Amino acid sequence: GVKVYPNPAKDQLHIEIDASSTMKSATIQMVNSLGKQVFEKSVSSSDRTMNIDLSGFAEGVYSIRIISSEGKMINSMVVVQK
């Protein structure tokens, strides 16, 4: 599975992909409440933990999509509060 924390987030968002996951690589995307993609990063299977700097993000609700190279999608929501 995937853990996204803290929620609500202020300065940093942490994403952890479970070590037992069979995901070879993935793309992590964040989309704001208007549907605009504001972040995207590709990660390999060795990148199990990722930190996203939220300093340039406005307050609001963001959708997080993790799309594996196999086509599996995991959706999550996070609230950014300043």
Side-chain angles (χ1 to χ4, degrees):
V2 175
K3 288 185 200 166
V4 179
Y5 63 93
N7 195 4
K10 186 176 181 181
D11 303 313
Q12 292 272 323
L13 182 65
H14 307 284
I15 298 175
E16 282 183 24
I17 298 172
D18 193 317
S20 66
S21 171
T22 58
M23 216 180 278
K24 290 180 180 64
S25 63
T27 301
I28 298 173
Q29 300 174 338
M30 283 182 71
V31 178
N32 67 16
S33 58
L34 302 175
K36 181 181 176 196
Q37 184 173 303
V38 294
F39 177 88
E40 180 173 273
K41 183 170 182 181
S42 294
V43 294
S44 68
S45 59
S46 59
D47 297 326
R48 294 290 178 186
T49 304
M50 181 180 177
N51 298 323
I52 300 173
D53 179 7
L54 298 175
S55 59
F57 286 66
E59 282 192 342
V61 178
Y62 292 81
S63 173
I64 298 172
R65 288 192 295 242
I66 301 167
I67 306 159
S68 74
S69 57
E70 297 81 31
K72 182 178 175 191
M73 186 183 299
I74 299 168
N75 288 302
S76 186
M77 301 291 273
V78 68
V79 175
V80 174
Q81 293 179 338
K82 298 292 180 174

